[in-house]
Short mmCIF file of all heavy atoms in Angstrom, two decimals:
data_model
loop_
_atom_site.label_atom_id
_atom_site.label_comp_id
_atom_site.label_asym_id
_atom_site.label_seq_id
_atom_site.Cartn_x
_atom_site.Cartn_y
_atom_site.Cartn_z
N ALA A 316 52.87 -46.36 -115.69
CA ALA A 316 52.71 -47.80 -115.64
C ALA A 316 51.45 -48.20 -116.37
O ALA A 316 51.47 -49.23 -117.08
CB ALA A 316 52.60 -48.23 -114.18
N GLU A 317 50.31 -47.40 -116.24
CA GLU A 317 49.19 -47.83 -117.00
C GLU A 317 49.33 -47.60 -118.54
O GLU A 317 48.81 -48.47 -119.30
CB GLU A 317 48.02 -46.94 -116.49
CG GLU A 317 47.57 -47.31 -115.08
CD GLU A 317 46.68 -46.28 -114.44
OE1 GLU A 317 46.78 -45.10 -114.77
OE2 GLU A 317 45.87 -46.65 -113.60
N ILE A 318 50.00 -46.58 -118.88
CA ILE A 318 50.29 -46.30 -120.24
C ILE A 318 51.16 -47.40 -120.81
O ILE A 318 50.84 -47.95 -121.97
CB ILE A 318 50.93 -44.96 -120.51
CG1 ILE A 318 50.02 -43.81 -119.92
CG2 ILE A 318 51.32 -44.68 -121.90
CD1 ILE A 318 50.76 -42.48 -119.86
N ARG A 319 52.05 -47.89 -120.04
CA ARG A 319 52.99 -48.98 -120.51
C ARG A 319 52.09 -50.23 -120.80
O ARG A 319 52.30 -50.98 -121.75
CB ARG A 319 53.97 -49.25 -119.39
CG ARG A 319 55.04 -50.30 -119.84
CD ARG A 319 55.87 -50.71 -118.65
NE ARG A 319 55.02 -51.18 -117.54
CZ ARG A 319 55.25 -50.93 -116.22
NH1 ARG A 319 56.34 -50.37 -115.93
NH2 ARG A 319 54.36 -51.32 -115.32
N ASP A 320 51.12 -50.46 -119.96
CA ASP A 320 50.23 -51.67 -120.14
C ASP A 320 49.42 -51.50 -121.42
O ASP A 320 49.26 -52.49 -122.18
CB ASP A 320 49.31 -51.80 -118.91
CG ASP A 320 50.12 -52.19 -117.64
OD1 ASP A 320 51.33 -52.52 -117.79
OD2 ASP A 320 49.56 -52.14 -116.57
N VAL A 321 48.89 -50.30 -121.64
CA VAL A 321 48.10 -50.11 -122.87
C VAL A 321 48.99 -50.29 -124.01
O VAL A 321 48.59 -51.07 -125.06
CB VAL A 321 47.53 -48.66 -122.91
CG1 VAL A 321 46.92 -48.32 -124.25
CG2 VAL A 321 46.53 -48.49 -121.78
N LEU A 322 50.15 -49.78 -124.04
CA LEU A 322 51.14 -49.95 -125.14
C LEU A 322 51.49 -51.37 -125.34
O LEU A 322 51.65 -51.84 -126.51
CB LEU A 322 52.39 -49.07 -124.89
CG LEU A 322 52.14 -47.59 -125.05
CD1 LEU A 322 53.35 -46.79 -124.47
CD2 LEU A 322 51.92 -47.20 -126.48
N ALA A 323 51.73 -52.15 -124.25
CA ALA A 323 52.03 -53.50 -124.36
C ALA A 323 50.96 -54.28 -125.01
O ALA A 323 51.22 -55.25 -125.81
CB ALA A 323 52.34 -54.08 -122.94
N ILE A 324 49.68 -54.00 -124.74
CA ILE A 324 48.59 -54.69 -125.32
C ILE A 324 48.59 -54.45 -126.84
O ILE A 324 48.53 -55.32 -127.63
CB ILE A 324 47.22 -54.26 -124.68
CG1 ILE A 324 47.17 -54.78 -123.25
CG2 ILE A 324 46.04 -54.76 -125.52
CD1 ILE A 324 45.97 -54.19 -122.48
N ARG A 325 48.78 -53.14 -127.22
CA ARG A 325 48.79 -52.76 -128.63
C ARG A 325 50.01 -53.44 -129.29
O ARG A 325 49.94 -53.97 -130.41
CB ARG A 325 48.85 -51.27 -128.75
CG ARG A 325 49.22 -50.72 -130.15
CD ARG A 325 48.32 -51.32 -131.17
NE ARG A 325 47.06 -50.68 -131.31
CZ ARG A 325 46.01 -51.21 -131.97
NH1 ARG A 325 46.07 -52.42 -132.64
NH2 ARG A 325 44.85 -50.50 -132.05
N ASP A 326 51.10 -53.43 -128.57
CA ASP A 326 52.32 -54.04 -129.18
C ASP A 326 52.15 -55.54 -129.31
O ASP A 326 52.74 -56.10 -130.20
CB ASP A 326 53.57 -53.74 -128.31
CG ASP A 326 53.98 -52.19 -128.26
OD1 ASP A 326 53.36 -51.52 -129.21
OD2 ASP A 326 54.70 -51.81 -127.44
N GLY A 327 51.26 -56.13 -128.49
CA GLY A 327 51.02 -57.56 -128.60
C GLY A 327 50.08 -57.86 -129.73
O GLY A 327 49.72 -59.00 -129.97
N GLY A 328 49.66 -56.84 -130.50
CA GLY A 328 48.76 -57.07 -131.60
C GLY A 328 47.25 -56.93 -131.35
O GLY A 328 46.46 -57.04 -132.28
N GLN A 329 46.92 -56.73 -130.09
CA GLN A 329 45.51 -56.59 -129.81
C GLN A 329 45.10 -55.12 -129.72
O GLN A 329 45.89 -54.29 -129.20
CB GLN A 329 45.20 -57.17 -128.39
CG GLN A 329 45.39 -58.65 -128.25
CD GLN A 329 44.29 -59.40 -128.82
OE1 GLN A 329 43.13 -58.99 -128.56
NE2 GLN A 329 44.48 -60.25 -129.77
N PRO A 330 43.91 -54.73 -130.15
CA PRO A 330 43.44 -53.38 -129.89
C PRO A 330 43.17 -53.28 -128.31
O PRO A 330 42.46 -54.23 -127.83
CB PRO A 330 42.15 -53.22 -130.66
CG PRO A 330 41.80 -54.58 -131.26
CD PRO A 330 42.88 -55.53 -130.80
N PRO A 331 43.65 -52.27 -127.71
CA PRO A 331 43.57 -52.25 -126.16
C PRO A 331 42.26 -51.67 -125.73
O PRO A 331 42.08 -51.32 -124.54
CB PRO A 331 44.70 -51.34 -125.77
CG PRO A 331 44.90 -50.43 -127.00
CD PRO A 331 44.47 -51.20 -128.19
N CYS A 332 41.13 -51.55 -126.58
CA CYS A 332 39.95 -50.81 -126.26
C CYS A 332 39.34 -51.28 -124.88
O CYS A 332 38.99 -50.38 -124.08
CB CYS A 332 38.97 -51.08 -127.31
SG CYS A 332 39.51 -50.55 -128.97
N GLY A 333 39.18 -52.56 -124.62
CA GLY A 333 38.54 -52.96 -123.45
C GLY A 333 39.26 -52.54 -122.21
O GLY A 333 38.73 -51.95 -121.26
#
Side-chain angles (χ1 to χ4, degrees):
Chain A
E317 289 166 332
I318 298 169
R319 187 189 53 212
D320 293 347
V321 171
L322 288 167
I324 292 171
R325 166 54 80 194
D326 292 345
Q329 292 286 310
C332 303

